[in-house]
């Protein structure tokens, strides 16, 4: 059985930005349903297929459906066997970020106990329990770390991800700065802080790895070329195996100190190299988060 129905399932930590993601999908023409109980997923999908009311749907589920969430991975596999193009995205964020967001909004976490005297400890415990309950879903989804990105940045990332073909592996290269932490959602992380740093060249300090002067500087140094070649060979060796393992997305994070020069340059080069072989996306976490 085949169908032209496209489905995006959004799950993730409470406070990680699922509402923002749904708004992005709604803007992209998806019919969106928030907090659909897992028990209704199959019936809802059958209804969409039978009536053909829409060809693109997005569904958000969260830990409020904790008792029935374990059945979701099997349901998704069943939908794929029926020809539904399913993408599963998991939004994540660090504990400190989630605690700060809940403190700012004064909302109560779905798993919190309001009668607890130490509300901070109760919130941290609730977050850790939620992460444990959602781990299986996270393992089978493409994860996005929203800890240090703006809502507009998250919306752009979501739209870019769903624009890639659903039936093929998509390779995502992301630059970042270690001083703001390692992306939680990265499948591979390469540390390039040992490479020559344009930050210490006065005329290059304010530029980025996308500027020609920085590109020329980095191309003059053999260790940069060696690092680029090593990452290319490693990914080239293992991507076919990852594709055969039915992976939809693979995120490769390249980190330098500030996420401005070396990591940006390498992400640009790797995207150029691999774009002729795979569906490829690029992100620059620190540059993308700058005000426009």
């Amino acid at each position: 059985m085949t169908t032209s129905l496209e489905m995006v399932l959004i799950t993730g930590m409470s406070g990680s930005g699922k509402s923002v993601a749904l708004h992005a999908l709604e803007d992209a023409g998806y019919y969106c349903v928030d907090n659909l109980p897992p028990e209704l997923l199959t019936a809802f999908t059958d209804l969409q297929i039978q009536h053909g009311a829409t060809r693109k749907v997005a569904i958000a589920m969260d830990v409020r459906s904790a008792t029935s969430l374990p059945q979701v991975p099997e349901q998704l596999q069943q939908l794929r066997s029926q020809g539904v193009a399913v993408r599963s995205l998991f939004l994540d964020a660090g504990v400190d970020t989630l605690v700060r967001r809940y403190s700012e909004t004064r909302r109560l976490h779905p798993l919190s106990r309001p009668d607890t005297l130490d509300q901070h400890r109760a919130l941290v415990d609730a977050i850790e329990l939620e992460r444990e309950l959602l781990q299986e879903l996270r393992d089978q989804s493409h994860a996005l770390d929203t800890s240090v990105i703006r809502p507009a940045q998250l919306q752009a990332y979501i739209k870019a991800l769903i624009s890639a073909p659903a039936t093929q592996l998509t390779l995502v290269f992301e630059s970042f700065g270690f001083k703001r932490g390692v992306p939680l959602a990265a499948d591979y992380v390469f540390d390039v802080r040992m490479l020559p740093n344009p930050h210490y060249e006065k005329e290059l300090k304010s530029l980025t790895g996308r500027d020609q002067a920085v590109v020329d500087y980095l191309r003059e140094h053999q260790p940069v070329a060696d690092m680029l070649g090593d990452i290319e060979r490693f990914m080239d060796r293992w991507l076919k195996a990852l594709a055969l393992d039915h992976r939809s997305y693979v995120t490769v994070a390249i980190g330098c100190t500030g996420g401005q020069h070396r990591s940006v340059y390498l992400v640009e080069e790797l995207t150029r190299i691999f774009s002729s072989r795979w569906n490829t996306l690029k992100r620059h976490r620190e540059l993308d988060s700058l005000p426009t």
Side-chain angles (χ1 to χ4, degrees):
M1 177 180 177
T2 60
T3 173
S4 59
L5 183 67
E6 297 179 24
M7 174 182 292
V8 178
L9 176 66
I10 301 288
T11 60
M13 302 297 292
S14 301
S16 61
K18 293 190 294 296
S19 296
V20 173
L22 274 185
H23 288 153
L25 291 165
E26 190 172 31
D27 290 344
Y30 282 74
Y31 174 66
C32 298
V33 180
D34 194 8
N35 195 30
L36 181 75
E39 296 91 340
L40 300 180
L41 177 60
T42 301
F44 172 80
T45 306
D46 289 343
L47 187 65
Q48 297 303 313
I49 293 173
Q50 290 170 13
H51 291 273
T54 180
R55 294 292 102 198
K56 299 194 295 184
V57 298
I59 297 169
M61 293 181 182
D62 60 31
V63 78
R64 286 173 288 183
S65 303
T67 57
S68 50
L69 279 174
Q71 64 187 265
V72 173
E74 183 177 345
Q75 289 176 322
L76 296 181
Q77 188 58 39
Q78 179 183 350
L79 292 175
R80 290 188 177 101
S81 69
Q82 295 174 353
V84 178
V86 179
R87 303 174 193 259
S88 184
L89 303 179
F90 187 99
L91 303 189
D92 204 349
V95 173
D96 291 344
T97 298
L98 295 173
V99 168
R100 188 190 75 246
R101 290 175 181 173
Y102 268 97
S103 299
E104 290 173 350
T105 61
R106 299 184 181 275
R107 292 170 51 216
L108 192 65
H109 190 281
L111 300 180
S112 287
R113 294 175 54 189
D115 57 339
T116 304
L117 293 178
D118 187 347
Q119 285 298 311
H120 176 81
R121 182 68 255 171
L123 177 56
V124 172
D125 288 345
I127 291 170
E128 292 175 347
L129 175 59
E130 180 180 33
R131 195 178 298 281
E132 180 181 341
L133 291 171
L134 296 177
Q135 187 60 50
E136 185 177 0
L137 267 176
R138 189 188 194 282
D139 290 343
Q140 298 188 28
S141 305
H142 176 63
L144 270 172
D145 182 4
T146 70
S147 301
V148 297
I149 63 175
R150 297 174 292 110
Q153 193 176 348
L154 174 58
Q155 288 188 334
Y157 287 176
I158 293 291
K159 290 176 181 178
L161 286 170
I162 64 171
S163 69
T167 57
Q168 301 176 36
L169 182 143
T170 295
L171 184 57
V172 182
F173 289 108
E174 178 176 9
S175 68
F176 72 95
F178 274 96
K179 66 181 181 181
R180 295 183 73 194
V182 178
L184 296 175
D187 297 296
Y188 297 97
V189 177
F190 293 95
D191 183 352
V192 300
R193 287 176 291 183
M194 77 293 293
L195 298 179
N197 192 352
H199 175 81
Y200 297 110
E201 302 295 328
K202 184 178 179 180
E203 67 277 11
L204 303 179
K205 183 176 181 178
S206 63
L207 302 179
T208 78
R210 293 183 293 200
D211 291 309
Q212 192 59 47
V214 174
V215 171
D216 293 340
Y217 171 87
L218 291 172
R219 284 179 176 171
E220 291 174 356
H221 293 82
Q222 188 58 41
V224 178
D226 292 341
M227 177 64 76
L228 178 62
D230 287 344
I231 297 174
E232 178 188 358
R233 283 186 289 273
F234 177 85
M235 297 309 305
D236 208 31
R237 177 178 180 181
W238 293 108
L239 278 174
K240 290 181 181 179
L242 289 167
L244 290 174
D245 194 40
H246 306 291
R247 296 288 295 274
S248 298
Y249 304 96
V250 173
T251 300
V252 181
I254 313 292
C256 60
T257 305
Q260 179 181 342
H261 297 107
R262 295 164 291 181
S263 61
V264 171
Y265 166 76
L266 287 168
V267 162
E268 292 287 332
E269 288 295 291
L270 288 164
T271 301
R272 177 184 59 80
I273 290 169
F274 281 93
S275 60
S276 62
R277 314 175 197 173
W278 299 90
N279 299 314
T280 307
L281 299 174
K282 64 181 176 182
R283 300 198 286 250
H284 298 298
R285 190 183 73 180
E286 318 309 347
L287 298 189
D288 292 345
S289 65
L290 294 174
T292 55

